[in-house]
């Protein structure tokens, strides 16, 4: 049966030219419209099979394929974004997504009071799906131009060692370990909370971070561990078979919790977030003389501009060069002074 009713909505089921069974809702209670939908769908599939046209792909089908192929470890936030997009694209094919839909998303998000940076994260996820469909899957898709919103300059908020010690003393044990680990490694929150035992090699005193959206890079990198970081990891042994950091034996999802925020407030730290622990780690390194290019490798930054933000915290790396000019001038100034005295 090509058309049949299900809960007062017409569905279509037929064999496509390539031999596959197609079963899909026509999204209408009107039989004439359902027939038209089915005829158009059959025509599209015939052109794909016999004329070599690119096949069409529904947004929801694209989301399932995208998540299956990318295997993003931060699926909680990814699913939240895709559920939001559903209100715009649930029944649409990728080639039906237009710039007006993007503008509507931007407008709604801004009216909800979110920051430009948050809006951009949604836009970047949408671009990722559409670009993958267009370039890799070779389905019918002409991604609209998506221009990201301007974001304020990245701030560098950091705290001193006494402030960090005060904060850690106010945290519950599991959070104190994660905060200390962040200050020892410079890792982002999700890299810490989602850290697995198969990423840890205590014999080499290192952990291995895969390239993904969390890392904000396509490349994997190795994080060497300090004595304190090794001690923290050893304290977690036996609490969970898969995850390193836990709470009551279960893997944690977030570290930037109410307990963390309450401790920040009790410690008298203003405008301080969990991610600022990474800024603090980088700032301490630079203040202690770690070269910027070494810090870039330690922190896994792919863009030199990102790590160069911390260069102003020290001038020690420049000191070795200033005397090179001065030493040349010293001889000249000495000669000028001698001649001046002779003329007198």
């Amino acid at each position: 049966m090509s058309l049949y009713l299900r809960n007062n909505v017409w569905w279509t089921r037929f064999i496509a030219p390539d031999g596959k069974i197609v079963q899909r809702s026509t999204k209408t209670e009107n039989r004439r419209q359902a027939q038209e939908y089915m005829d158009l769908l059959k025509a599209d599939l015939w052109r794909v099979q016999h004329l070599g046209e690119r096949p069409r792909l529904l947004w929801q089908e694209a989301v399932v394929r995208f998540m299956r192929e990318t295997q993003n470890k931060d699926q909680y936030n990814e699913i939240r974004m895709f559920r939001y997009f559903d209100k715009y694209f649930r029944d649409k094919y990728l080639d039906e997504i237009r710039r007006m839909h993007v503008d509507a998303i931007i407008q709604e998000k801004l009216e909800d009071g979110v920051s430009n940076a948050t809006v951009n994260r949604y836009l970047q996820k949408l671009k990722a799906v559409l670009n993958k469909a267009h370039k890799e899957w070779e389905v019918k898709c002409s991604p609209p131009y998506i221009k990201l919103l301007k974001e304020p300059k990245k701030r560098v908020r950091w705290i001193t060692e006494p402030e960090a010690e005060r904060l850690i003393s106010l945290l519950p044990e599991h959070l104190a370990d994660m905060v200390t680990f962040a200050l020892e490694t410079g890792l982002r929150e999700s890299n810490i909370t989602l850290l697995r035992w198969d990423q840890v090699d205590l014999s080499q005193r290192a952990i291995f971070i895969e390239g993904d959206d969390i890392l904000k890079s396509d490349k994997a990198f190795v994080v060497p561990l300090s004595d304190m970081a090794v001690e923290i990891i050893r304290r977690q042994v036996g609490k969970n078979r898969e995850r390193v950091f836990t709470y009551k034996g279960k893997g944690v999802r977030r570290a930037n919790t109410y307990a963390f925020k309450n401790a920040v407030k009790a410690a008298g730290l203003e405008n301080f977030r969990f991610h600022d622990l990474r800024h603090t780690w980088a700032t301490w390194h630079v203040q202690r003389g770690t070269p910027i290019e070494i810090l870039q490798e330690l922190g896994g930054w792919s863009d030199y501009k990102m790590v160069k933000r911390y260069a102003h915290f020290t001038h020690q790396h420049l000191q070795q060069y200033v005397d090179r000019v001065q030493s040349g001038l010293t001889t000249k100034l000495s000669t000028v002074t001698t001649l001046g005295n002779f003329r007198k």
Side-chain angles (χ1 to χ4, degrees):
M1 183 181 294
S2 295
L3 284 174
Y4 62 96
L5 278 172
R6 180 188 290 181
N7 297 327
N8 296 323
V9 174
W10 288 99
W11 281 65
T12 179
R13 188 175 189 274
F14 59 88
I15 299 177
D18 61 0
K20 295 180 180 178
I21 296 177
V22 176
Q23 184 174 358
R24 190 170 297 173
S25 171
T26 67
K27 308 291 191 303
T28 181
E29 299 178 5
N30 185 296
R31 196 183 194 290
R32 183 179 58 81
Q33 292 175 346
Q35 182 70 46
E36 183 179 352
Y37 175 92
M38 183 182 67
D39 291 341
L40 289 172
L41 181 57
K42 284 183 175 181
D44 285 340
L45 294 174
W46 186 90
R47 286 195 296 270
V48 170
Q49 181 69 19
H50 298 286
L51 302 181
E53 289 190 6
R54 288 191 172 198
R56 302 182 84 191
L57 190 66
L58 287 166
W59 165 258
Q60 290 188 324
E61 294 172 337
V63 167
V64 172
R65 182 171 178 180
F66 179 86
M67 294 188 68
R68 184 176 64 246
E69 292 185 6
T70 57
Q71 291 291 307
N72 181 10
K73 292 177 179 58
D74 194 13
Q75 287 192 351
Y76 175 83
N77 284 323
E78 188 171 65
I79 291 172
R80 181 168 53 83
M81 289 184 186
F82 286 143
R83 283 178 178 167
Y84 171 80
F85 288 136
D86 264 358
K87 68 165 73 175
Y88 291 96
F89 309 133
R90 178 187 294 273
D91 301 324
K92 284 185 168 50
Y93 288 96
L94 295 184
D95 58 297
E96 294 177 322
I97 296 176
R98 300 284 183 267
R99 175 66 204 188
M100 64 181 182
H101 301 123
V102 178
D103 291 338
I105 290 170
I106 294 174
Q107 188 63 32
E108 182 179 50
K109 279 296 178 185
L110 291 178
E111 288 177 356
D112 287 343
V114 303
S115 66
N116 285 11
T118 299
V119 175
N120 284 342
R121 282 199 290 273
Y122 279 82
L123 297 181
Q124 287 166 338
K125 186 62 67 176
L126 177 59
K127 285 177 67 174
V129 175
L130 296 179
N131 287 337
K132 197 171 186 65
H134 177 65
K135 296 177 181 178
E136 296 183 25
W137 302 340
E138 294 186 343
V139 297
K140 191 176 289 187
C141 177
S142 298
Y145 175 66
I146 300 178
K147 183 178 181 181
L148 301 182
L149 304 182
K150 287 186 178 180
E151 297 182 26
K153 245 183 133 179
K154 295 282 186 182
R155 66 174 196 149
V156 176
R157 172 73 170 97
W158 61 284
I159 55 178
T160 63
E161 288 190 52
E163 288 175 326
E165 291 172 0
R166 187 163 69 248
L167 171 62
I168 292 169
S169 70
L170 295 167
L171 290 167
E173 183 180 352
H174 73 289
L175 278 177
D177 279 346
M178 284 189 280
V179 167
T180 305
F181 195 73
L183 290 170
E184 290 292 321
T185 62
L187 287 173
R188 297 179 177 88
E189 179 186 3
S190 294
N191 290 136
I192 296 172
T193 59
L194 301 179
L195 184 65
R196 305 183 311 274
W197 284 112
D198 60 13
Q199 295 175 257
V200 179
D201 188 339
L202 289 180
S203 65
Q204 295 189 50
R205 296 172 58 92
I207 60 177
F208 302 87
I209 304 296
E210 298 97 336
D212 51 27
D213 286 346
I214 300 171
L215 183 63
K216 299 184 179 177
S217 170
D218 293 330
K219 297 180 180 179
F221 82 114
V222 180
V223 180
L225 299 176
S226 64
D227 291 340
M228 176 63 73
V230 170
E231 181 183 335
I232 292 171
I233 288 182
R234 283 179 175 156
R235 287 205 296 262
Q236 316 309 315
V237 173
K239 295 181 180 180
N240 187 284
R241 295 178 63 181
E242 181 184 0
R243 300 271 283 280
V244 176
F245 292 102
T246 61
Y247 177 63
K248 295 183 178 180
K250 295 182 179 180
V252 296
R253 172 64 190 83
R254 301 285 294 176
N256 190 33
T257 61
Y258 286 116
F260 176 79
K261 294 173 182 176
N262 289 337
V264 167
K265 186 176 180 180
L269 304 176
E270 296 183 0
N271 192 27
F272 189 79
R273 308 166 305 182
F274 192 91
H275 188 73
D276 294 325
L277 296 169
R278 179 169 168 83
H279 296 315
T280 300
W281 166 83
T283 303
W284 288 359
H285 259 289
V286 173
Q287 289 176 336
R288 291 165 183 167
T290 301
I292 293 295
E293 61 273 15
I294 298 299
L295 181 61
Q296 182 179 357
E297 288 190 49
L298 289 173
W301 281 287
S302 57
D303 188 351
Y304 183 70
K305 293 179 182 177
M306 296 294 291
V307 69
K308 203 169 183 295
R309 294 178 294 171
Y310 303 97
H312 67 278
F313 288 109
T314 182
H315 61 276
Q316 294 173 359
H317 62 293
L318 301 175
Q319 192 66 47
Q320 59 179 310
Y321 300 103
V322 296
D323 287 338
R324 295 182 180 182
V325 174
Q326 182 181 354
S327 60
L329 288 174
T330 301
T331 303
K332 295 179 181 178
L333 288 174
S334 176
T335 302
V336 170
T337 302
T338 302
L339 288 174
N341 292 335
F342 176 77
R343 288 168 181 169
K344 288 180 181 179

